[in-house]
Amino acid sequence: MSWDAVIIGASPEGLAASVTLAREGFKVLVVDEAATPGGAHAADEFHPGFTAPGLHHDLPLSPHLFDYLDLGSHGLEAAAPPAIRVGEVTHAGDLTSSEGPLSTHGAWLARPRKFLHSVATSAPPPIAAEASAWPALAKAFALRRLGAGTLNTLLRRGPLSLRDYLEELEVRGPAAASVALTGLAGSRLGPFDPITTPGLLFRAVTAASEAVGGGAGLVDSLVSAAEAAGVTLRTGVSVQRVRVGPLHADGVEIDGAMQETRTVFVAGAPEPLLARWLDPLAIPPELEQPLEGWRARGDIAIVQLALSAPLAVDGEPVARLRTATSLVQLERARDAVKYRGVSEAPPLDARQWSLSRPELAPEGHHVVTVHAHGVSLEATRSFSEEDRAALGERVVALLDDAAPGLAKSVLAQAVLTPADLEARGLQGGHLWHGEITLDQSWVMRPSRRLSQYSTPIPGLFLCSAATHPSPFALGGSGIEAAEAALE
Amino acid sequence: MSAGHWDAIVVGGGHNGLTAAAYLARAGRRVLVLEARPRVGGAAVTEEHHPGFRYTVCSYVVSLLRPWVVRDLQLARHGLQLIPLEASFTPHRDGPGLCRWPDPHATREEIRRFSKRDAEVYPEFGQAMGHLARFAKAFIDDQAPAPDSLHPRDLIQLGRLGRRFLALEEHLLDLQMQITTMSAVDFLDRWFESDALKAPMSCSGIIGTMLGVRSPGTAYVLLHHYMGEIDGSSRAWAFARGGNGAVSEAIASSARAHGAEIRTSAPVERIVVQNGRATGVVLAGSGDELTANVVISGMEPRRTFLQLVGEEELPPGLSADLRRYKLRGSSGKVNIALDAFPEFSGRPGIGPHVMGDIAIAPSVDYLSRAYDEAKYGTYSRRPYLNVVFPSLFDPSMAPPGKHVLSAFVQYAPYHLADGPESWPKHREAFGETVLDTLEEYSPGLRDKVLHMQVLSPWDLEQEFGLTEGNIFHGELSLDQLLFQRPAPGWARFRTPVDNLWLAASGAHPGGGVMAAPGALAALSMLEQGAV
């Protein structure tokens, strides 16, 4: 069997790449070692009758899913994310909203919003002496066109710590803690650390709408589009190696059989490339060095809850609930991670999926997934069964403080520590396959050269969440990588 | 009442104010420097606080002092003598610690005790940093670029920097991008495995800032260690014979030789502004008004504008920027007169290992925890210390057989949980913490103490005018560097008040006893015919 492209990883990026390529008439095989497609976004029936629609809480969509891939006709829907309850406050899930406790933040963002959105959702410009300088200059001109005032404000606020940024805009209290948590997700930094504001700005401008039905909703429509385009999808396989021929990457051994191909896309964690798939002698240093220096150390544990009654505060069911009400709480939780430990009081971020998708749970029952921030990969690697259960209990107790009565309604819980997520194929147990800090973002995700999706091995492409713009625009990396390959 | 007229009046006789004065006087201008304290130098002073013992009170080593300033002002002829530091020693409690030497081979042997791999990589790292430092110098020896300007000259400057950047070799391009965005520890993690090596190396990233070694944006300061140009060699740090006061004295002497007048104990009450134009200053006490064609501030920007000029003379955006301007001092200084030399138990004797700077930085987590305490508003129970013994370089600093110890102490946050004004209450305990820390590495040191001067960030503010105790006149963070120092649009020494110029560390390129802001400001003024 011979293919034009073999895509390893049926993640949203892998599927988006497959649709892009198949629509150009190419023969595409998508494989995944997991039993169901979707990667971290796969539906997970963690308790009989109770399904979590993926592990992620934020589902920003690449605009190209609608305009290039026309996923709207395959059932993809985008909607405003639900409001977020934190302490006594509720704020919009759209973090550019100019109303409510985040109004000052939303109001100033109105000017640079379009520029930031375009940076956050498109391929990064190449930075190299021999590459065309035009893409980078175009971004610079777009920035300059915002006017000297906005330009200066953006350049000054950009490198700030979230604490200083939010203080400057007079966003305080629980609302400040809530948006800071958004900005910090995916990094090991605290709100007192400098250069934590860009994470918030990029997330804010891409959070105006999200996939309806969680990650699984997005995956369903991508699978439907892929099938319609003639993509072959195989899950539950074992990938043994990627073969590099004299000219390019030309084969992938799957379940013991070599699949001949013209190109190979890695749409899951890049780690196995070095560890398992490539012949060590075939790995060029330009690929090895950036991937070896790559930081992907998870710090979020996920607790999936099957509930007999809705998660509610003051009698009102809440779609999204956060527990940290001050920046100091967030900072202290990150301190624990810094020393490779587990926070005593991890800030929680809970999503109740079954409110908008009742079919995820039996009638009258509910599904909630909780992100517990402040649980280091290193600590959980040596977790015992008791440690895991104790963490689950602590999370339930903390959530019960914010939503009294919750603990009584828990029918079942499943705890996924960063070490568990690592075992499921997420690099470092990290939800985005790599920490999201400025030095691992945009033109440097995962490295300056590799940010263009191609690798020093001809025919081998990277397009997982370890590349831009996936963390801010799901599907974006897959589409951009496919475009790069088509060129 | 007018008491005289000058071409330029410099407010503040710190090393930058003196440098600006010297450059202008050298160009034939009539210059007057007004210093509030009884001696010139600001935070670069040497003083005797215990009979026979001279302290290099605040700043204590020379590293980035621009060689072209030394040449232009003929500072050697005016008495400046620099003695290169020979070693960088990190004592450990349970062994000989780590010593880094000017000889790379000797350093490799030291590192080998901790990691063979790191020993091999170390010279390569030094070479790479040397290349990056050369690129960085393009920024500190010139005006700040102005990305918000459409003036052809500014666009050309930006284009030239862009081309120089892209002309870097492949791996240097990557490193350059990493070093401007990463934390010191993350950056070092990509090269080294040994905690004992990474800890002292990462320290240079945090000096004077309210940031931790794991805070992003601290890596680029590692370059400072490779930018020093002492005696034309690339040694990082030097001691000025006579302490850092001698640097100020040499610049002052050069300024006087060119005809500048310097008055001490002459505090300025305010800068006189008429119709948006600075016309002179009013002296505190006498109330005398001195007039000048231009007024140059050698002080920190917030103090300059909000205290001496007054908010009503500023555009509203700038007042807001200045109030937000981050000072947040994070360090203190302890000077100690010693009856005898305090040996380090892990490496005894007065050998070459103590002829340099000595860092109390046993591990990355030690430094990180020191920061954690400070960020919640207490001084570190076990701080990072940078120690030198000035009396080893210059015997005249102490009586024969006796010694002076200078300890830079971090973290000592200006903003304590119970307020900065509570520092006097904590000062003594803070000093004890420093002694306790030193005692762990040099048992018996405490018994040799004859006198101790403890300067908290509060004291640095009260005594030396370093607002919030910040030794760099403002944090050297990405949002306060280059074209944003001290505020966007005002990074070229000019200010919104006509004829008022800024020429100290709160201006580009920042602090570190570089003398660059003073020199670049004066050169800009002369070039633009402003004086």
Side-chain angles (χ1 to χ4, degrees):
Chain A
M1 197 65 186
S2 172
W3 306 91
D4 292 314
V6 173
I7 297 175
I8 307 173
S11 64
E13 307 310 329
L15 292 168
S18 78
V19 178
T20 310
L21 293 169
R23 294 227 181 125
E24 295 290 327
F26 292 105
K27 249 173 73 185
V28 185
L29 171 67
V30 180
V31 297
D32 201 300
E33 297 196 320
T36 46
H41 297 277
D44 181 11
E45 188 174 345
F46 62 93
H47 185 68
F50 292 84
T51 302
L55 302 174
H56 280 265
H57 278 179
D58 293 295
L59 302 149
L61 296 175
S62 165
H64 299 324
L65 292 176
F66 293 98
D67 54 20
Y68 281 17
L69 298 191
D70 187 29
L71 289 188
S73 61
H74 290 275
L76 182 64
E77 281 178 71
I84 299 173
R85 171 81 187 212
V86 53
E88 300 295 307
V89 178
T90 300
H91 68 80
D94 171 3
L95 302 181
T96 55
S97 166
S98 53
E99 283 165 22
L102 304 177
S103 57
T104 46
H105 156 81
W108 96 268
L109 263 186
R111 269 182 164 278
R113 179 179 176 170
K114 234 180 105 188
F115 168 77
L116 289 172
H117 186 267
S118 125
V119 171
T121 59
S122 58
I127 307 288
E130 82 287 355
S132 163
W134 286 114
L137 285 174
K139 291 274 188 261
F141 288 140
L143 178 62
R144 187 61 192 77
R145 270 201 303 275
L146 296 174
T150 307
L151 168 83
N152 279 332
T153 309
L154 192 57
L155 291 177
R156 190 178 58 74
R157 286 183 176 160
L160 291 180
S161 71
L162 278 163
R163 175 177 58 170
D164 291 335
Y165 171 77
L166 294 169
E167 183 57 38
E168 181 175 330
L169 292 169
E170 299 177 354
V171 176
R172 303 197 176 103
S178 176
V179 282
L181 190 67
T182 298
L184 295 169
S187 80
R188 287 201 154 193
L189 305 173
F192 293 11
D193 276 317
I195 329 188
T196 41
T197 297
L200 173 60
L201 299 187
F202 279 139
R203 286 210 164 83
V205 297
T206 54
S209 72
E210 63 165 17
V212 170
L218 168 63
V219 172
D220 286 346
S221 66
L222 277 165
V223 168
S224 154
E227 280 167 356
V231 172
T232 306
L233 173 63
R234 288 190 208 154
T235 54
V237 303
S238 162
V239 177
Q240 275 101 23
R241 72 185 176 109
V242 173
R243 188 184 66 196
V244 180
L247 297 175
H248 58 92
D250 61 6
V252 181
E253 192 179 328
I254 296 162
D255 288 340
M258 183 58 73
Q259 305 288 331
E260 306 288 330
T261 183
R262 288 166 59 204
T263 57
V264 178
F265 288 73
V266 176
E271 196 172 37
L273 258 183
L274 302 189
R276 294 199 279 137
W277 295 339
L278 285 173
D279 172 1
L281 297 176
I283 304 175
E286 299 82 12
L287 182 63
E288 185 174 19
Q289 280 167 6
L291 294 186
E292 274 196 343
W294 186 240
R295 298 192 313 281
R297 302 159 300 172
D299 68 334
I300 299 174
I302 297 174
V303 180
Q304 298 164 319
L305 299 174
L307 303 179
S308 60
L311 174 71
V313 180
D314 302 333
E316 283 292 313
V318 287
R320 195 159 187 181
L321 175 67
R322 286 173 168 168
T323 60
T325 51
S326 77
L327 295 180
V328 169
Q329 271 175 286
L330 295 184
E331 185 70 27
R332 290 210 184 267
R334 302 288 164 156
D335 287 349
V337 172
K338 202 157 62 176
Y339 304 109
R340 304 161 291 279
V342 176
S343 166
E344 284 300 312
L348 305 181
D349 183 5
R351 257 201 99 153
Q352 183 156 233
W353 299 102
S354 46
L355 279 189
S356 55
R357 299 280 303 264
E359 69 274 20
L360 293 172
E363 204 180 334
H365 292 63
H366 286 275
V367 169
V368 167
T369 55
V370 187
H371 284 188
H373 291 253
V375 180
S376 75
L377 167 72
E378 296 90 329
T380 58
R381 272 179 174 157
S382 53
F383 254 28
S384 65
E385 225 15 87
E386 292 78 50
D387 292 332
R388 186 182 287 102
L391 176 64
E393 292 308 321
R394 201 186 319 161
V395 167
V396 169
L398 286 167
L399 196 57
D400 189 74
D401 289 343
L406 163 89
K408 287 199 308 266
S409 66
V410 176
L411 299 174
Q413 65 187 62
V415 180
L416 295 167
T417 66
D420 299 330
L421 296 174
E422 188 176 39
R424 283 194 177 194
L426 283 173
Q427 185 159 342
H430 195 281
L431 284 173
W432 293 271
H433 295 311
E435 289 162 43
I436 303 175
T437 49
L438 190 59
D439 60 291
Q440 296 202 146
S441 292
W442 199 42
V443 295
M444 298 164 85
R445 192 166 183 91
S447 77
R448 183 175 57 85
R449 284 286 177 189
L450 299 176
S451 73
Q452 302 301 303
Y453 314 104
S454 58
T455 68
I457 298 175
L460 177 68
F461 296 86
L462 300 181
C463 64
S464 77
T467 59
H468 186 80
S470 173
F472 309 112
L474 285 167
S477 291
I479 295 169
E480 297 288 359
E483 295 285 335
L486 288 170
E487 261 178 42
Chain B
M1 180 190 107
S2 180
H5 185 85
W6 282 266
D7 290 330
I9 291 179
V10 179
V11 185
H15 78 282
N16 272 309
L18 293 169
T19 301
Y23 269 89
L24 294 180
R26 195 176 70 129
R29 306 300 188 270
R30 282 189 68 226
V31 186
L32 171 67
V33 180
L34 298 170
E35 166 57 40
R37 298 186 77 237
R39 68 171 57 71
V40 293
V45 286
T46 305
E47 291 175 351
E48 188 172 311
H49 286 263
H50 189 67
F53 293 84
R54 293 198 297 149
Y55 294 157
T56 176
V57 180
C58 303
S59 72
Y60 56 100
V61 283
V62 175
S63 113
L64 294 173
L65 185 62
R66 307 316 301 140
W68 50 271
V69 174
V70 175
R71 279 194 303 274
D72 285 354
L73 301 183
Q74 297 182 295
L75 297 185
R77 255 191 53 200
H78 290 281
L80 179 66
Q81 280 183 56
L82 296 177
I83 307 160
L85 300 195
E86 289 299 337
S88 223
F89 175 41
T90 313
H92 290 172
R93 296 171 67 176
D94 54 354
L98 171 72
C99 205
R100 290 179 289 148
W101 308 95
D103 169 11
H105 187 72
T107 304
R108 253 160 67 183
E109 290 307 310
E110 293 261 357
I111 298 173
R112 205 182 299 279
R113 296 206 324 273
F114 298 96
S115 159
K116 284 201 174 69
R117 212 193 88 195
D118 288 358
E120 298 311 312
V121 176
Y122 190 76
E124 202 185 310
F125 179 82
Q127 265 180 5
M129 292 300 104
H131 286 295
L132 295 187
R134 271 202 285 285
F135 177 67
K137 274 184 208 159
F139 288 90
I140 65 170
D141 287 338
D142 196 358
Q143 291 199 8
D148 59 345
S149 162
L150 294 176
H151 192 287
R153 200 180 46 204
D154 295 326
L155 292 174
I156 288 168
Q157 188 191 7
L158 274 181
R160 209 176 48 223
L161 289 169
R163 270 206 309 280
R164 274 192 74 158
F165 172 65
L166 286 175
L168 287 171
E169 276 175 58
E170 276 286 293
H171 72 289
L172 294 175
L173 201 52
D174 286 323
L175 285 175
Q176 182 62 46
M177 289 166 71
Q178 288 165 7
I179 208 163
T180 39
T181 52
M182 291 178 96
S183 78
V185 167
D186 286 340
F187 187 78
L188 291 168
D189 275 344
R190 291 182 85 117
W191 290 81
F192 304 113
E193 59 186 12
S194 158
D195 203 42
L197 176 61
K198 285 185 282 191
M201 289 179 84
S202 65
C203 295
S204 51
I206 53 168
I207 287 177
T209 76
M210 192 54 214
L211 301 172
V213 287
R214 288 194 170 98
S215 300
T218 51
Y220 88 96
V221 195
L222 296 172
L223 284 182
H224 277 189
H225 206 77
Y226 296 88
M227 274 202 256
E229 291 168 289
I230 305 304
D231 290 346
S233 75
S234 60
R235 270 180 209 153
W237 285 8
F239 183 79
R241 187 177 297 279
N244 263 12
V247 177
S248 307
E249 292 296 346
I251 301 173
S253 161
S254 173
R256 280 195 202 96
H258 286 116
E261 182 184 343
I262 299 172
R263 290 190 200 164
T264 52
S265 302
V268 168
E269 188 179 285
R270 63 186 175 91
I271 294 170
V272 181
V273 179
Q274 285 169 353
N275 305 323
R277 199 171 274 273
T279 57
V281 301
V282 173
L283 293 178
S286 71
D288 286 350
E289 181 172 339
L290 312 178
T291 59
N293 297 341
V294 298
V295 177
I296 300 165
S297 169
M299 296 186 306
E300 173 273 309
R302 191 193 288 169
R303 190 169 286 246
T304 301
F305 291 109
L306 298 186
Q307 281 185 25
L308 293 189
V309 171
E311 216 173 301
E312 60 283 359
E313 302 293 344
L314 306 176
L318 182 63
S319 322
D321 282 343
L322 288 167
R323 271 195 303 273
R324 281 194 289 265
Y325 185 68
K326 291 186 306 225
L327 288 145
R328 292 182 195 168
S330 63
S331 55
K333 182 76 196 292
V334 172
N335 298 302
I336 305 175
L338 293 162
D339 198 27
F341 188 80
E343 298 186 15
F344 288 86
S345 56
R347 207 181 281 222
I350 309 184
H353 62 288
V354 288
M355 298 299 289
D357 77 297
I358 296 152
I360 303 298
S363 73
V364 168
D365 280 356
Y366 175 98
L367 298 168
S368 199
R369 285 183 207 283
Y371 167 61
D372 286 350
E373 289 168 335
K375 71 187 177 189
Y376 301 120
T378 58
Y379 56 84
S380 313
R381 301 296 147 181
R382 280 294 172 269
Y384 157 61
L385 301 181
N386 193 273
V387 174
V388 296
F389 290 96
S391 47
L392 291 178
F393 305 106
D394 178 358
S396 77
M397 300 295 283
K402 312 213 185 286
H403 287 277
V404 179
L405 182 156
S406 152
F408 170 85
V409 189
Q410 191 158 334
Y411 299 82
Y414 175 82
H415 294 286
L416 288 175
D418 45 353
E421 60 289 344
S422 70
W423 259 112
K425 193 170 77 196
H426 294 289
R427 189 191 295 118
E428 195 183 333
F430 169 63
E432 289 304 309
T433 299
V434 174
L435 282 183
D436 289 345
T437 308
L438 286 168
E439 184 78 22
E440 289 182 347
Y441 300 87
S442 175
L445 178 137
R446 192 181 271 281
D447 302 332
K448 303 183 178 79
V449 175
L450 299 173
H451 174 265
M452 185 159 107
Q453 177 191 33
V454 180
L455 293 167
S456 72
W458 171 261
D459 301 318
L460 294 175
E461 178 180 68
Q462 301 301 313
E463 180 65 28
F464 298 95
L466 293 170
T467 311
E468 296 190 18
N470 189 302
I471 61 171
F472 295 138
H473 287 198
E475 194 139 277
L476 297 173
S477 54
L478 278 182
D479 55 307
Q480 299 192 159
L481 283 175
L482 298 170
F483 55 92
Q484 317 208 69
R485 193 167 187 88
W490 300 109
R492 290 190 168 171
F493 316 110
R494 223 179 233 293
T495 73
V497 177
D498 283 346
N499 297 342
L500 174 64
W501 293 68
L502 198 59
S505 301
H508 174 76
V513 201
M514 286 196 256
L520 290 174
L523 292 173
S524 305
M525 295 169 72
L526 292 169
E527 188 191 301
Q528 295 173 32
V531 59

